[in-house]
Amino acid sequence: MGFSAREVEGISRGVSLPGLHALASRPECQGRSVLDLWHDMWLPKLLPEGWTLRYVNGHKKKSKAVNEETGVANDYAPEGTLSVLELFVNPAMIGPATHFVSFPALMLLTEIVEAVESTLSASEQPVFIWMDVLSIGWNDNVHIQQAVINETRQVVQVCSKWDDPERLKRAWMMFELFSAIRVDAELHYAMTLAEQRRLADDLRINGPNVVLDIVYRFEADPCRTHSMFQLELLKTELHSIVEQQGGRAEIEHQLAERTRSAYAKIIAREFDRRWAELGDMDLDGGITKSESDVLDLGHQLARLWALTQNVDLAEKLFGQVLQRLPSAATTVRAGAHARRDRTTAELVQLLKQQGRIEDAHTAERDVSGCGKLPVSWEGISVSYLEGFAEENAAELRFLSTDAFVERVVKPETRKHGAVALIETAACNEARGKPTFFVSHAWRQTFYVPKDAPAAAWRGGLVQALVGSTSKEARGSTHFWYDVFCVNQHLRSPYDGGLLAFAFDPLRNAIIECDHLKLFMETWDDPAPLSRVWCLVEIHAAFLLGKEVKIVMPPRAMDTFRKQGTKDDIERIVSRIDIKHASATFQSDRHKVLNFVEDTIGCDNLTLFCQEIIRAALYGLAGMAKSTDRSKWTSLLKGIVDTVENQPCSPGTVPKEIEVKRGVAMMQCRIFPPDAIEHIAGKELLNEVAHKALRFYGPRSQLYLDLKRQTDELGCESAAKGAKRRKVTPS
């Protein structure tokens, strides 16, 4: 059923915000829901003379209009029925509707009005609110709602609790929401001031995931909704809209995009209010908890904005917070989310995603306080490493890597202004896009001189990297190595670690490389396999789809290939256990283990690292390695089943994504491309990518990483093939 322009004009009358406020301030409206007001106070007064109400089966919420003279009962308003606007509102406060308001009828009218006012009071244009109970005489009509939404193109949806929104359950609210999406109307969410404050504080404390979890829960399933009337009609209309919009997945994607932005707008209003109350802060004398809380809120809100189409707002807000953050760690509250290093790291990530590398480097230099770059993402050439070692051979004799840093790297780079060693390379050819990432333990030997006795068979990292690269390729082969690429002088004022580690160098460096090389000084005592950071680097490599290779000094390599056996390899692999891995600083160890357990899980990471190193050692030794298909199918299926059966609570979706991603990547590593298990792994990875898209959105770094992997593996076609074969993820 359509409406002419004249008919739409007749039904789309709205009330101004002052008029709405005046209506809600009437004594009879205090403490009463819209539904109660409608049936008890308004509806009996709206009917024309000669008509009365009859309640069906005594149910006050189901009524008919009865003609007192003829006894005829109407389901809809008889001719002459008034509207609440006509009955109770000053005509001067009525005008053509500009905003359609969708609301839960069981919510107090005063709370609905407070929510609408807080959302629209700052509008620069005149505002006239359309609410069905106010603007039309009696009984909702889906076509009326659609006509007004199409006319206004501004929909305000009110909810009583931000984390339990009625739009997930009420058929009328879902219908109004879907109708707004269909005509591409601007969507606003509205809630009381108290609820806005609760939403802002939840984000401040828990970060964007607390909002993303609510967004993820929305399912465009009309069958899960309920209504006190017209439920079947609403379900029919909802199914029709879902089909028109391309199906459930597509409309859920559109809704998620709009909802992330709508929640961010609400929090932004609360943030602006709190920011205005800050006044001038004494950045050098320390900041109060309330001041720190406001900065934390800005930091988390910027992270949320970064997941929407409004990345410019994220960049602006990160900059706004950074201007007010003190540089001295002693003035920052313990446990604060907003710190110069963390906030800058988020900004750098945002800039890098947009390809603005120079701007990202500028932000990095700004946070250092001295204009120095904390970390470079370029690689250094193997030939430069070789020449550097020969030039400094006398000083490098048998030095471990940590001793090399203290005795050589820091003094040398201090001469150039305390920069990263890579920045001292005068030759441009010495720097370039890295081919591989070097994972190593700092206690291992960095360099063994050429004139060392034959007993010094182990060699060092230099010999391993140079020896594994052909002479012709050394000038064009670049690698990322923390000792060279991280500024060893810049320490974080907050935890004493290197400032570079605020910028997630593991993920950001490994993503640029083709593969990871794990340096083992000796094959029978592999120090890196007992270090948490090395295991986490392996973890990052396999999640990003990068091959893990093992590199040894030439003499150690020869010995391994001549003497190493399958039993030796299994003995080495069996010693890998991230729970027992060590770190130089206990704080690092606890931080890493907590992170791993909260994401992929320590036991799972141990299992995956063992298999990755096993495969690398077998390949290095030239030995054939068999895969126990039934064993691995059972193991991986058990991991998936465990994460799928975990109780649903905040945080379960991110963990499920990480665990299933790891399982999928292992399936693709372990089994050959034509194996049914490999195809199932691709299907699972595709499922994980879709889940990440729905949870985090298309601008999240995690989704972008997964999309790159699914594109490289051709997972869409693989998923279809797996379905044809009726394969379930192993």
Side-chain angles (χ1 to χ4, degrees):
M1 174 181 176
F3 290 88
S4 67
R6 181 178 296 276
E7 289 173 321
V8 172
E9 182 180 352
I11 60 176
S12 61
R13 296 167 300 170
V15 56
S16 66
L17 289 179
L20 185 64
H21 185 87
L23 176 64
S25 299
R26 294 170 64 94
E28 67 269 20
C29 295
Q30 304 308 299
R32 306 195 68 174
S33 71
V34 171
L35 194 63
D36 285 339
L37 284 169
W38 174 251
H39 286 281
D40 294 343
M41 303 297 300
W42 294 341
L43 183 54
K45 299 177 182 180
L46 302 180
L47 294 176
E49 185 177 353
W51 291 79
T52 188
L53 286 176
R54 177 192 299 166
Y55 297 108
V56 180
N57 298 325
H59 197 308
K60 292 188 67 175
K61 306 303 187 269
K62 297 180 180 179
S63 54
K64 292 179 179 289
V66 180
N67 187 303
E68 295 174 343
E69 182 178 342
T70 64
V72 173
N74 278 9
D75 287 327
Y76 294 92
E79 186 176 351
T81 299
L82 299 175
S83 69
V84 173
L85 294 187
E86 294 171 306
L87 199 62
F88 295 115
V89 177
N90 186 329
M93 294 182 174
I94 299 175
T98 60
H99 292 75
F100 179 102
V101 173
S102 171
F103 61 93
L106 295 176
M107 192 171 173
L108 300 183
L109 176 64
T110 51
E111 292 185 343
I112 292 174
V113 172
E114 177 188 327
V116 172
E117 285 182 317
S118 69
T119 302
L120 301 179
S121 59
S123 175
E124 297 178 356
Q125 303 297 324
V127 172
F128 290 91
I129 300 302
W130 194 94
M131 295 174 61
D132 53 3
V133 295
L134 305 183
S135 300
I136 54 178
W138 184 26
N139 285 334
D140 281 329
N141 180 303
V142 293
H143 304 294
I144 292 176
Q145 316 290 69
Q146 288 176 333
V148 177
I149 289 172
N150 188 58
E151 180 73 12
T152 61
R153 300 296 175 106
Q154 296 278 346
V155 173
V156 181
Q157 190 159 69
V158 181
C159 62
S160 56
K161 292 184 178 179
W162 86 263
D163 51 355
D164 188 21
E166 287 83 355
R167 62 181 172 275
L168 304 184
K169 298 171 284 189
R170 304 296 305 172
W172 270 106
M173 295 189 73
M174 185 180 286
F175 166 73
E176 290 157 350
L177 184 60
F178 285 11
S179 297
I181 291 175
R182 179 165 62 179
V183 299
D184 197 27
E186 185 172 357
L187 181 63
H188 310 267
Y189 289 154
M191 54 192 71
T192 63
L193 294 175
E195 203 60 22
Q196 290 180 37
R197 288 191 289 269
R198 190 168 76 86
L199 166 58
D201 286 334
D202 281 349
L203 176 81
R204 172 180 60 81
I205 296 168
N206 301 302
N209 276 13
V210 74
V211 172
L212 302 182
D213 188 69
I214 299 302
V215 176
Y216 178 84
R217 274 195 251 158
F218 188 90
E219 293 185 350
D221 186 358
C223 297
R224 292 177 179 243
T225 63
H226 58 85
S227 175
M228 287 180 287
F229 61 101
Q230 295 186 331
L231 179 59
E232 293 308 313
L233 172 62
L234 287 170
K235 286 183 177 180
T236 300
E237 291 290 332
L238 283 167
H239 282 297
S240 175
I241 295 175
V242 169
E243 184 177 347
Q244 291 172 16
Q245 293 303 116
R248 279 184 55 180
E250 178 58 29
I251 200 168
E252 286 171 354
H253 169 69
Q254 294 181 47
L255 180 62
E257 284 282 276
R258 292 163 181 264
T259 299
R260 282 186 283 267
S261 294
Y263 274 133
K265 290 176 187 175
I266 295 173
I267 300 165
R269 289 195 296 271
E270 179 65 18
F271 170 76
D272 289 343
R273 184 188 66 77
R274 298 184 189 186
W275 184 269
E277 295 175 354
L278 275 183
D280 294 329
M281 293 167 52
D282 180 9
L283 300 185
D284 295 324
I287 58 177
T288 65
K289 181 182 183 304
S290 59
E291 291 170 339
S292 179
D293 285 349
V294 175
L295 294 173
D296 279 355
L297 178 58
H299 172 92
Q300 302 285 39
L301 175 57
R303 293 179 64 205
L304 181 59
W305 276 129
L307 298 174
T308 72
Q309 294 179 344
N310 299 288
V311 292
D312 54 331
L313 292 179
E315 182 180 347
K316 180 181 177 181
L317 189 49
F318 279 132
Q320 184 177 344
V321 172
L322 283 168
Q323 286 180 349
R324 301 291 288 268
L325 274 172
S327 56
T330 54
T331 61
V332 176
R333 177 175 59 87
H337 297 289
R339 300 187 331 201
R340 295 197 66 81
D341 58 346
R342 289 177 181 163
T343 306
T344 301
E346 295 286 351
L347 175 59
V348 166
Q349 188 68 35
L350 182 68
L351 295 171
K352 286 185 64 181
Q353 282 183 4
Q354 300 174 65
R356 296 164 56 188
I357 304 302
E358 288 305 315
D359 290 340
H361 284 168
T362 298
E364 279 189 77
R365 291 187 177 97
D366 286 345
V367 76
S368 71
C370 58
K372 309 300 181 186
L373 195 64
V375 56
S376 170
W377 308 117
E378 287 186 294
I380 198 75
S381 70
V382 176
S383 62
Y384 179 85
L385 172 69
E386 184 178 25
F388 182 89
E390 290 176 355
E391 184 179 340
N392 297 276
E395 298 176 84
L396 297 178
R397 292 176 62 89
F398 298 105
L399 285 186
S400 62
T401 298
D402 50 7
F404 164 56
V405 170
E406 294 301 323
R407 298 185 192 181
V408 179
V409 174
K410 288 184 178 179
E412 177 65 24
T413 52
R414 196 173 288 118
K415 298 175 187 176
H416 297 269
V419 296
L421 188 58
I422 191 173
E423 294 191 78
T424 68
C427 178
N428 289 334
E429 287 74 18
R431 303 191 304 200
K433 184 181 183 303
T435 301
F436 60 88
F437 178 102
V438 177
S439 179
H440 64 104
W442 278 42
R443 73 185 189 209
Q444 292 174 293
T445 304
F446 176 74
Y447 179 74
V448 174
K450 293 180 179 179
D451 61 355
W457 56 269
R458 64 184 183 278
L461 185 141
V462 173
Q463 282 79 13
L465 297 183
V466 172
S468 62
T469 309
S470 68
K471 196 167 186 177
E472 297 76 16
R474 291 172 191 171
S476 59
T477 302
H478 300 81
F479 61 95
W480 196 91
Y481 178 41
D482 56 353
V483 170
F484 278 40
C485 300
V486 168
N487 190 316
Q488 303 296 325
H489 301 278
L490 297 181
R491 314 292 297 186
S492 168
Y494 304 99
D495 53 23
L498 289 170
L499 184 59
F501 280 86
F503 300 96
D504 194 7
L506 303 188
R507 183 262 165 207
N508 286 325
I510 292 173
I511 194 70
E512 298 293 333
C513 301
D514 296 335
H515 60 276
L516 177 145
K517 284 189 176 180
L518 179 72
F519 169 55
M520 288 172 51
E521 186 175 353
T522 63
W523 65 270
D524 55 346
D525 186 22
L529 301 182
S530 63
R531 305 294 286 178
V532 291
W533 283 116
C534 292
L535 295 179
V536 169
E537 288 162 357
I538 296 171
H539 165 228
F542 92 79
L543 284 185
L544 292 169
K546 309 295 183 179
E547 185 180 1
V548 174
K549 301 179 180 180
I550 290 174
V551 63
M552 301 181 194
R555 291 179 183 175
M557 184 80 74
D558 291 342
T559 304
F560 170 65
R561 286 173 171 163
K562 292 175 181 177
Q563 300 179 10
T565 66
K566 291 185 178 181
D567 288 342
D568 290 327
I569 291 175
E570 292 304 322
R571 176 176 54 79
I572 293 169
V573 168
S574 68
R575 291 164 54 185
I576 300 174
D577 187 341
I578 192 166
K579 288 182 179 177
H580 297 146
S582 61
T584 302
F585 301 103
Q586 278 300 307
S587 58
D588 280 0
R589 181 176 183 275
H590 292 312
K591 179 172 65 175
V592 169
L593 291 182
N594 288 338
F595 165 75
V596 170
E597 191 57 46
D598 290 342
T599 53
I600 197 169
C602 290
D603 290 339
N604 294 336
L605 180 56
T606 295
L607 178 68
F608 297 161
C609 285
Q610 286 178 340
E611 180 58 21
I612 290 168
I613 297 302
R614 177 184 288 113
L617 287 171
Y618 269 84
L620 195 65
M623 300 179 186
K625 174 184 166 296
S626 60
T627 299
D628 187 333
R629 297 180 65 160
S630 61
K631 169 192 168 184
W632 275 104
T633 298
S634 176
L635 282 173
L636 297 177
K637 185 178 185 302
I639 293 171
V640 171
D641 289 345
T642 298
V643 75
E644 286 183 339
N645 294 329
Q646 63 184 330
C648 184
S649 63
T652 56
V653 175
K655 182 159 188 170
E656 181 181 351
I657 289 172
E658 287 295 322
V659 172
K660 286 186 174 181
R661 180 187 182 189
V663 168
M665 295 307 296
M666 287 306 297
Q667 284 180 277
C668 293
R669 280 178 180 270
I670 294 171
F671 299 103
D674 60 344
I676 198 169
E677 296 89 350
H678 186 99
I679 295 173
K682 290 182 177 181
E683 182 184 24
L684 180 58
L685 189 64
N686 196 53
E687 173 197 323
V688 171
H690 284 296
K691 191 178 288 287
L693 173 63
R694 183 174 165 187
F695 187 87
Y696 294 104
R699 276 158 292 280
S700 71
Q701 188 60 65
L702 176 59
Y703 171 70
L704 293 174
D705 287 345
L706 281 164
K707 185 177 185 303
R708 178 187 58 80
Q709 291 169 249
T710 55
D711 288 346
E712 289 177 357
L713 292 170
C715 290
E716 288 290 348
S717 59
K720 294 176 183 177
K723 288 181 180 178
R724 286 196 300 270
R725 300 185 189 195
K726 298 182 180 180
V727 177
T728 55
S730 301

